[in-house]
Amino acid sequence: MRLSRRRLLRTFGTAAGAVLLQNCTSGVPSKRPFQLNPYTIVVANPEVNTVRLGIIPSLEVAPLLVAQNKQIFAKYGMKNVELVPFKSWQNICDRTEIGTDLGNSNAGGNTGIDGGHFYSPCPELLNEGMINRYSRRMAMYVLMRLHTHGGYILASKRLKTLGMQIGRTTLSAWQDMARLFGKPMRAAIAEQGSNYDLWLRYWLAALEVTPKQNIDILTIATEQMLADVKQNRADLLCVDSWHTLKLTEAGVAEPAIAVAEIWRNYPGEVLAMRADWVDKYPIATQALMQATMEAQIWCDDPANAQELNTILAMSFKDIRSLISQPTKIFSELFKSIPNQKTGTLKVDRSNNPIKYWSSDGISVSYPYKSHDLWFLNEYRRWQKLPDNFEIKETIDAVNREDLWKKAAKSIGVPDTHIPESTSRGIETFFDGFQFDPNHIE
């Protein structure tokens, strides 16, 4: 049976009975769906029509791929949007630092970019000169979020042979068992400090396992993960939806828990750009945002699922390290997901589809400042920020939710679908702990 991408991801849920995220905010958008007018007349002409945006090829960047493929960027005057694929966010950071000649994509030997797809809190760290090559500040703006859901924590088959059942019980005893059988459990992510690193750390800590103290977290390039899991070099991995599909299809690992079950409607990755580009080309910036928003809304429409499958598959066809047989990705993967046995994992196969515009009536695209605060607070929790780091001031400088609201209104998004507050309120996680943006201590 051929499954659509959307149904495929719906059937691919995981993990333990969780206390789902509760969104308490004074500005919850309406749950009533709406349709944009497809014949919207675009009046303003952007100052430039060329921009280079870096992406990590994945399901998470579907809105950008759709906006390019369906000529939505061109509809808003951005006729030369180049989506440049990279293997790592560090590459994206380095190329953003190089930049272009503000609209001239031939600058820097065609190696620089103007912004693109980033994890949080990468733009804030770039803004403060903490992760770029020359440790110098590079002003950045976060324009919007691209998705929610899609990330998973996987457990290797080795843990299953040890009789390990991953749920909400402590992993400490299983670490002892793993050592007894030859190798301690080790976790892995593709890049230190990424959002996947933070999800993994939060989950491990909730299960009474302290990173570095009780378990090592390795950095393994995504293209190397399959081989390393086969060699029992890593047992717990936190990766995006696409690499989850690949590792599960290969039969080396199984989903332990969806990040959506750790934090329902969690803030996904962002579209961010160099501040100098945005400041010089405000109309072009609005055009990029408007096109991406329209694509997000299109992606979430079930009627477009089949076409979206095709766009994604064909968008990835030249990325050899990512996909070998693109035409079968979304229709045939996960045909061999094992049935869960009674008494092991409580599986939720319906509540965690990746979403791009809204989920449960909550805005996915809007860049809540309270979410930026969570990411930076987690960095502080894991001693990745200096004590004198000015969190609030940095968020206010980088987050451009005002531009998001302007772009949303300009394409006809009704006020009932635009958040009133920059905070989504108190967030409740699967372990019962809460994050209160007003009391981060």
Side-chain angles (χ1 to χ4, degrees):
M1 179 177 67
R2 297 179 64 85
L3 298 177
S4 71
R5 180 197 64 90
R6 197 169 302 279
R7 183 179 176 190
L8 181 150
L9 291 175
R10 280 204 306 266
T11 60
F12 164 39
T14 50
V19 177
L20 299 180
L21 171 70
Q22 298 174 0
N23 300 290
C24 304
T25 173
S26 60
V28 178
S30 170
K31 292 186 178 182
R32 291 175 296 178
F34 73 95
Q35 294 289 331
L36 291 179
N37 182 355
Y39 304 106
T40 300
I41 298 176
V42 180
V43 178
N45 292 317
E47 304 90 347
V48 292
N49 60 24
T50 298
V51 68
R52 301 187 84 227
L53 302 175
I55 61 169
I56 303 294
S58 61
L59 305 186
E60 283 75 359
V61 296
L64 298 177
L65 299 171
V66 166
Q68 183 185 57
N69 183 275
K70 293 186 68 64
Q71 301 297 310
I72 304 175
F73 284 134
K75 168 184 172 181
Y76 289 93
M78 298 302 295
K79 299 178 181 179
N80 296 300
V81 176
E82 184 179 0
L83 301 181
V84 186
F86 291 96
K87 290 185 177 181
S88 72
W89 274 300
Q90 186 58 58
N91 293 151
I92 290 181
C93 290
D94 292 344
R95 297 306 177 183
T96 302
E97 187 177 9
I98 293 172
T100 68
D101 188 16
L102 296 185
N104 178 7
S105 62
N106 294 318
N110 216 30
T111 61
I113 57 178
D114 302 300
H117 166 217
F118 293 88
Y119 66 79
S120 289
C122 192
E124 288 85 353
L125 301 179
L126 279 170
N127 192 80
E128 299 305 306
M130 296 181 62
I131 57 174
N132 42 12
R133 293 176 301 164
Y134 304 114
S135 298
R136 64 189 181 197
R137 295 189 175 191
M138 181 177 63
M140 294 288 296
Y141 290 152
V142 168
L143 303 179
M144 62 199 306
R145 292 206 178 268
L146 293 172
H147 72 99
T148 188
H149 301 177
Y152 290 81
I153 295 174
L154 306 181
S156 71
K157 290 295 183 69
R158 182 177 84 100
L159 299 186
K160 190 173 182 180
T161 62
L162 296 179
M164 182 174 178
Q165 299 173 8
I166 298 179
R168 290 183 57 197
T169 57
T170 176
L171 292 182
S172 299
W174 295 106
Q175 180 66 297
D176 295 337
M177 177 75 75
R179 288 193 182 97
L180 182 65
F181 279 81
K183 287 185 178 180
M185 288 190 298
R186 294 193 293 184
I189 38 85
E191 293 187 58
Q192 289 286 337
S194 68
N195 48 344
Y196 297 100
D197 187 6
L198 297 183
W199 308 137
L200 181 63
R201 287 172 179 270
Y202 188 96
W203 181 68
L204 288 170
L207 301 185
E208 301 178 16
V209 173
T210 304
K212 290 189 177 181
Q213 179 180 320
N214 305 120
I215 191 170
D216 290 330
I217 298 181
L218 309 178
T219 302
I220 302 175
T222 50
E223 61 266 26
Q224 185 61 32
M225 281 186 175
L226 179 58
D228 280 18
V229 176
K230 284 183 176 179
Q231 295 298 318
N232 294 327
R233 297 191 185 103
D235 293 295
L236 298 169
L237 306 98
C238 189
V239 293
D240 62 25
S241 53
W242 167 241
H243 290 95
T244 296
L245 293 172
K246 292 301 290 182
L247 290 167
T248 304
E249 183 192 33
V252 301
E254 295 179 8
I257 189 168
V259 177
E261 292 171 295
I262 297 172
W263 182 3
R264 185 161 181 79
N265 296 319
Y266 67 84
E269 288 136 32
V270 299
L271 174 62
M273 297 189 68
R274 291 176 58 115
D276 55 3
W277 199 97
V278 173
D279 291 340
K280 186 171 184 179
Y281 303 126
I283 301 175
T285 300
Q286 283 289 299
L288 286 173
M289 296 178 69
Q290 290 162 357
T292 305
M293 288 176 175
E294 184 170 326
Q296 286 181 303
I297 295 167
W298 185 93
C299 287
D300 274 2
D301 188 341
N304 300 324
Q306 185 173 355
E307 186 179 354
L308 178 57
N309 295 345
T310 303
I311 290 173
L312 289 172
M314 298 309 294
S315 296
F316 296 154
K317 66 180 180 180
D318 295 324
I319 312 298
R320 293 184 181 180
S321 63
L322 196 66
I323 290 174
S324 58
Q325 294 177 285
T327 58
K328 76 170 205 173
I329 309 167
F330 306 106
S331 61
E332 296 181 15
L333 288 180
F334 276 78
K335 58 181 177 289
S336 60
I337 293 180
N339 293 324
Q340 300 296 326
K341 297 180 180 179
T342 302
T344 57
L345 305 182
K346 180 179 179 182
V347 177
D348 179 354
R349 295 182 181 272
S350 62
N351 290 329
N352 305 306
I354 189 168
K355 303 289 283 185
Y356 302 102
W357 176 252
S358 66
S359 180
D360 300 330
I362 299 165
S363 178
V364 170
S365 177
Y366 178 74
Y368 286 97
K369 288 186 177 182
S370 59
H371 291 157
D372 299 332
L373 183 61
W374 184 87
F375 283 108
L376 289 171
N377 201 52
E378 285 295 290
Y379 253 59
R380 176 171 287 171
R381 174 188 183 187
W382 299 111
Q383 291 83 51
K384 293 178 178 289
L385 285 182
D387 292 338
N388 62 348
F389 189 90
E390 296 179 337
I391 290 181
K392 184 180 183 301
E393 290 78 3
T394 301
I395 292 172
D396 287 341
V398 174
N399 185 299
R400 294 305 306 272
E401 55 84 29
D402 58 316
L403 296 182
W404 188 96
K405 289 182 177 179
K406 181 179 178 181
K409 290 179 179 180
S410 68
I411 65 171
V413 176
D415 290 342
T416 52
H417 290 258
I418 296 177
E420 297 173 5
S421 172
T422 60
S423 172
R424 206 169 72 175
I426 297 174
E427 312 274 6
T428 302
F429 295 78
F430 83 117
D431 55 0
F433 278 90
Q434 293 184 326
F435 173 72
D436 184 348
N438 294 320
H439 300 92
I440 62 172
E441 69 278 5

